[in-house]
Amino acid sequence: MASEMTAYVIEEYGDPDVFAETTREVPDPGPDEIRVAVAASSLNPVDYKIRQGALSDFAPELPAILHCDVSGVVDAVGENVETFDEGDEVYGMPGGAGRQGSLADSVVGHAGTFARAPESIPLEESAALPVVALTAWELLADKTSVDIGDDVLVYGGSGGVGHIAVQLAHWFGADVTATGSSEEKRDLAERLGADATVDYTAVDVETYVDDHAGGDGFDTVVDPIGDEHLETAFEAVRPYGTVVTTESSAAQELDLGPMHANSLELGVVLVILPVLLGDRQERIGEELADIAALVDDGAIEPHIDDRFAFDAVAEAHRRGESGDFRGKLLLVNE
């Protein structure tokens, strides 16, 4: 194998144009690690927030290779690794936050942060799944328990996490209502399994609770967006219900009075935490193996809105920050 690789690096935080194509030495895997020849990555809000400097505490050491998601082929295995062999097709979340990421020809990560890729979709498309599918899984399967017939509300049902959460909630047997700001976004949520959709820009909370949750409130509200959505989630959920979220920035100012008044449960997910801590990383691979099985069973699928080559990463970031897309933006290592 070549001793050098192409990588897309930031040397400072800033706008999307801070990415620079560089040449780096190909990393060797250490004990418990594997090296993956990268087929693709995808864009998540955490990626562009790190690039902006808004999440600098989560960033790899500068100069940094960003992006958490990856799919590719194992081409080297470190000591103590028995779960993978060279030539295995895998997907995972090995870095991009806390350690070097996947915008390069090769990435090294703890073997526990990978699983064998789904067989029913192209390898590159599996790179659209790790962050969003792990987040949706932990929101719906770890932080709450969704039963058949439950009323579940998903904010942003065509977004990255939201479009997977809609499919998972549907697979669990829930009656799913998804919000979306445009007809195209609501149509995608319906195609993926939402029983009803709501234009939250035109319909108030009380109305869609009356229309889709019997007036009592939803059993579970899934909020991968935050800001005002987290506040309205407390209005939309029933007494003794559960709100699950990825939001942190509003937490310091959030009025928790409604939680107390209605005996609510609140679950918060930071899916990259095992990588940041270097602890319990095996849970990532275990959950990704379950997600791959769901993909191969036809229960969930990633929706790819658009594809970009690695050398167009700045364009992909601008598109992601605009919010003008549905599902995921894929970056392919051409």
Side-chain angles (χ1 to χ4, degrees):
M1 180 176 176
S3 60
E4 294 184 335
M5 68 177 185
T6 300
Y8 295 85
V9 173
I10 66 167
E11 296 188 354
E12 61 182 355
Y13 303 118
D15 65 28
D17 292 322
V18 296
F19 284 104
E21 180 178 332
T22 64
T23 299
R24 282 202 170 185
E25 186 176 344
V26 175
D28 291 322
D32 303 315
E33 293 183 334
I34 61 174
R35 186 177 66 209
V36 173
V38 175
S41 183
S42 70
L43 181 63
N44 297 287
V46 66
D47 301 315
Y48 61 72
K49 289 178 181 179
I50 289 174
R51 188 215 75 232
Q52 293 166 346
L55 295 177
S56 57
D57 289 345
F58 292 173
E61 182 179 353
L62 294 176
I65 303 172
L66 302 187
H67 280 229
C68 300
D69 288 334
V70 70
S71 64
V73 178
V74 178
D75 67 7
V77 176
E79 295 179 13
N80 307 325
V81 176
E82 299 179 353
T83 49
F84 298 107
D85 296 309
E86 292 183 22
D88 286 344
E89 295 187 344
V90 297
Y91 76 136
M93 192 183 68
R99 59 179 296 161
Q100 299 298 326
S102 59
L103 279 180
D105 291 336
S106 294
V107 64
V108 165
H110 192 285
T113 62
F114 292 91
R116 284 175 174 77
E119 297 179 356
S120 58
I121 61 175
L123 176 61
E124 62 187 33
E125 292 187 5
S126 65
L129 284 166
V131 167
V132 297
L134 286 165
T135 301
W137 180 264
E138 292 187 12
L139 289 170
L140 283 165
D142 290 352
K143 296 299 181 181
T144 189
S145 178
V146 176
D147 294 323
I148 294 173
D150 279 358
D151 290 317
V152 173
L153 174 65
V154 179
Y155 287 131
S158 68
V161 174
H163 88 289
I164 300 297
V166 164
Q167 295 175 76
L168 279 176
H170 176 76
W171 181 71
F172 285 138
D175 292 324
V176 184
T177 300
T179 71
S181 59
S182 70
E183 184 175 355
E184 292 78 12
K185 291 179 178 180
R186 296 191 295 275
D187 285 347
L188 175 61
E190 287 187 356
R191 182 177 72 78
L192 295 175
D195 300 283
T197 59
V198 171
D199 180 355
Y200 68 91
T201 67
V203 179
D204 62 29
V205 178
E206 184 177 354
T207 298
Y208 61 73
V209 167
D210 286 342
D211 290 346
H212 304 298
D216 297 324
F218 294 88
D219 298 288
T220 298
V221 178
V222 181
D223 167 38
I225 302 174
D227 298 323
E228 72 276 6
H229 291 84
L230 186 53
E231 295 181 11
T232 61
F234 292 141
E235 300 177 50
V237 70
R238 65 164 174 80
Y240 304 103
T242 303
V243 174
V244 289
T245 184
T246 59
E247 173 65 4
S248 63
S249 61
Q252 295 179 351
E253 301 176 2
L254 188 65
D255 178 9
L256 298 182
M259 286 190 62
H260 181 262
N262 290 290
S263 195
L264 303 178
E265 293 188 15
L266 176 65
V268 183
V269 166
L270 177 60
V271 75
I272 60 174
L273 186 60
V275 176
L276 293 172
L277 295 179
D279 183 40
R280 306 183 194 181
Q281 296 181 85
E282 290 81 5
R283 70 175 287 166
I284 295 174
E286 291 167 359
E287 291 178 357
L288 285 174
D290 291 337
I291 290 162
L294 289 175
V295 174
D296 289 337
D297 286 344
I300 61 174
E301 61 175 316
H303 177 80
I304 310 298
D305 186 288
D306 206 351
R307 299 165 186 257
F308 300 83
F310 272 19
D311 61 9
V313 60
E315 181 183 351
H317 274 238
R318 279 189 284 269
R319 178 78 175 277
E321 288 172 290
S322 77
D324 184 24
F325 67 96
R326 297 171 297 158
K328 291 300 299 290
L329 301 176
L330 190 70
L331 288 97
V332 181
N333 189 21
E334 296 179 338

